[in-house]
Amino acid sequence: MTRDEVASLDAADPLAGRRERFELPDGVIYLDGNSLGALPRETPGHVERVLREEWGRGLIRSWNDAGWIDLPQRVGDKIGRLVGAAPGQVVVADSTSINLFKALAAAARMRPGRRVVLSERGNFPTDLYIVQGLADLADVDLRMVGRDEIPSAIDEGTAVVMLTHVDYRTGAVHDMAAVTRAAHDAGALMLWDLAHSAGALPVDLDGCGADLAVGCGYKYLNGGPGAPAFLYVAARHHEAFRQPLTGWMGHATPFAFGAAYEPAPGIRRALCGTPAVLAMAALEAGVDEMLAVDMAELRRKSLGLTRLFRDLLARECAGFGLTPVGPEDPERCGSQVSVAHPQGYAVMQALIGRGVIGDFRAPDIMRFGFAPLYLRYADVWDAVRILKDILTTGAWDRPEFHRRAAVT
């Protein structure tokens, strides 16, 4: 493919106009939307209105007048439309880790007599840490197996299967329907982490029969650094869902100020403390950008971008020690491409120094995320050209590129 052919892809792109809705610095090719989404242009104005009008003028009245008290469910229902969840099953609150703790503890109670939380060895470490922490407090054990061993490892002792839908290192996608079915066939519950799925590819939680799911708001949902996360509980489990962080916002009548906890009906019982209004305002603006496009069209462009990147890497960067990581078929991956290199950290730092922003995951993986709302095919072409130059000249082998920062 030539540069002119790449330009023609951008000219024909039905999502091309969405790029103008994001703040993107000149001279930067942003391939890290899988870690932190770009800033939507609508977000500052929306947050400013909440600051100056709702907080500044409305003051405490805005809990009622501006609907602050309903933000967790309102934004949750919007996210539900992106992950295949009917209204009333998704709530926005806290962080992904805290929501995972709630969901795992509730799942363990819903499967008495079963102790095992089953996951894969390569799962995102913090998810495994949460299970380890829960095991210190409750009668649960973490069992980890290889990715391909999961269906056969689910047995009568499994309370819940906990998996990340899109692998954070490789981008490999689990067959959500098949694994959920295997869990149910063994009497276990199924919990999905959608951190690298929500806003990146079509998800159908209800259609797949998932029981529980969590996900973050700051990656493909463009909610801003540290944005609130979300928690999905299938409606059929609401009555049995009893989570341990029994804060007042999950109470049936929080402003009755009773001494005893009584869980709220429906998804609201998954809440704990006071919602972070300003953070949710930013997240809502990001989610609204996602809702303005068709997820199938978004996925088509994602596949086009990742295919082009893979093809150009194979053609332009062969012989420089790059090793593809993850499935060869883009349709079996999320909206990212990962490659290993013995000096992956330094190479990535050199790329960032040239304006191509991706990230690095130990021990040697360079990750490139493709957010179709604001990434162009020309960006992919230029990124590979710059990578080839860095590898050809050895520009990565400078002391400043080997110096490890706190965040990689």
Side-chain angles (χ1 to χ4, degrees):
M1 181 170 284
T2 66
R3 185 67 166 78
D4 288 342
E5 289 173 320
V6 170
S8 70
L9 291 176
D10 283 323
D13 176 18
L15 298 180
R18 307 307 301 181
R19 177 180 171 86
E20 298 305 316
R21 299 186 62 81
F22 290 85
E23 295 282 353
L24 296 164
D26 291 337
V28 168
I29 299 172
Y30 193 59
L31 303 181
D32 210 10
N34 54 324
S35 283
L36 176 65
L39 172 65
R41 291 187 186 275
E42 291 294 317
T43 300
H46 181 60
V47 174
E48 180 80 4
R49 286 190 293 274
V50 175
L51 276 169
R52 297 200 176 278
E53 296 175 19
E54 296 179 8
W55 179 15
R57 294 185 177 85
L59 297 167
I60 201 168
R61 294 170 295 185
S62 289
W63 283 105
N64 292 314
D65 296 349
W68 287 353
I69 196 67
D70 299 319
L71 270 172
Q73 291 161 278
R74 186 178 84 212
V75 183
D77 281 344
K78 288 185 175 184
I79 293 174
R81 290 161 58 187
L82 297 173
V83 297
Q89 298 181 103
V90 179
V91 69
V92 172
D94 306 313
S95 68
T96 307
S97 296
I98 291 174
N99 286 333
L100 186 62
F101 181 85
K102 297 176 193 173
L104 286 168
R109 294 184 64 175
M110 291 159 65
R111 289 295 183 269
R114 293 173 175 242
R115 297 182 55 184
V116 174
V117 176
L118 181 68
S119 193
E120 62 179 303
R121 295 188 188 97
N123 201 358
F124 192 60
T126 190
D127 289 11
L128 304 177
Y129 303 159
I130 292 295
V131 184
Q132 293 164 24
L134 179 63
D136 289 339
L137 303 173
D139 189 23
V140 300
D141 291 325
L142 172 62
R143 182 185 177 198
M144 296 179 288
V145 299
R147 185 182 185 87
D148 296 334
E149 301 173 272
I150 291 163
S152 62
I154 308 170
D155 58 25
E156 66 277 0
T158 306
V160 57
V161 180
M162 176 193 72
L163 296 172
T164 301
H165 184 221
V166 176
D167 186 275
Y168 81 103
R169 283 196 182 98
T170 69
V173 179
H174 276 292
D175 185 332
M176 182 178 284
V179 179
T180 300
R181 187 164 53 249
H184 290 171
D185 287 347
L189 295 170
M190 188 70 231
L191 191 165
W192 290 103
D193 184 334
L194 303 179
H196 290 86
S197 307
L201 69 163
V203 176
D204 188 7
L205 289 173
D206 286 350
C208 291
D211 301 295
L212 304 157
V214 298
C216 75
Y218 54 80
K219 294 184 174 69
Y220 293 103
L221 298 183
N222 304 305
F230 64 90
L231 171 60
Y232 163 89
V233 181
R236 64 185 179 277
H237 295 308
H238 284 178
E239 185 62 28
F241 184 85
R242 298 294 180 99
Q243 57 102 351
L245 302 182
T246 48
W248 74 321
M249 286 298 165
H251 195 285
T253 55
F255 289 92
F257 298 107
Y261 183 79
E262 178 186 349
I267 190 63
R268 195 159 60 83
R269 65 179 52 199
L271 295 174
C272 179
T274 305
V277 173
L278 299 181
M280 284 203 187
L283 174 61
E284 186 170 26
V287 171
D288 285 345
E289 291 295 334
M290 299 303 308
L291 289 173
V293 303
D294 178 71
M295 285 302 298
E297 185 62 53
L298 190 90
R299 179 60 171 166
R300 279 192 289 272
K301 183 177 178 184
S302 166
L303 291 171
L305 292 166
T306 55
R307 283 195 182 100
L308 177 62
F309 189 75
R310 289 166 181 265
D311 291 346
L312 290 174
L313 278 183
R315 189 181 81 186
E316 302 295 328
C317 297
F320 289 109
L322 297 177
T323 303
V325 176
E328 294 181 4
D329 182 359
E331 300 216 19
R332 294 178 55 209
C333 284
S335 200
Q336 73 180 66
V337 175
S338 297
V339 293
H341 188 277
Q343 297 293 335
Y345 181 82
V347 174
M348 182 55 72
Q349 297 312 301
L351 276 168
I352 293 171
R354 293 277 296 274
V356 179
I357 300 179
D359 64 21
F360 172 82
R361 291 294 177 261
D364 58 1
I365 293 176
M366 295 187 291
R367 295 194 314 175
F368 301 92
F370 298 83
L373 285 188
Y374 49 80
L375 195 66
R376 301 170 297 195
Y377 290 95
D379 295 327
V380 174
W381 175 281
D382 291 339
V384 174
R385 177 181 55 80
I386 293 170
L387 175 58
K388 180 181 180 180
D389 182 68
I390 287 170
L391 294 171
T392 300
T393 63
W396 55 268
D397 198 14
R398 287 162 43 183
E400 64 266 32
F401 296 145
H402 290 274
R403 194 174 301 120
R404 295 290 176 116
V407 177
T408 62

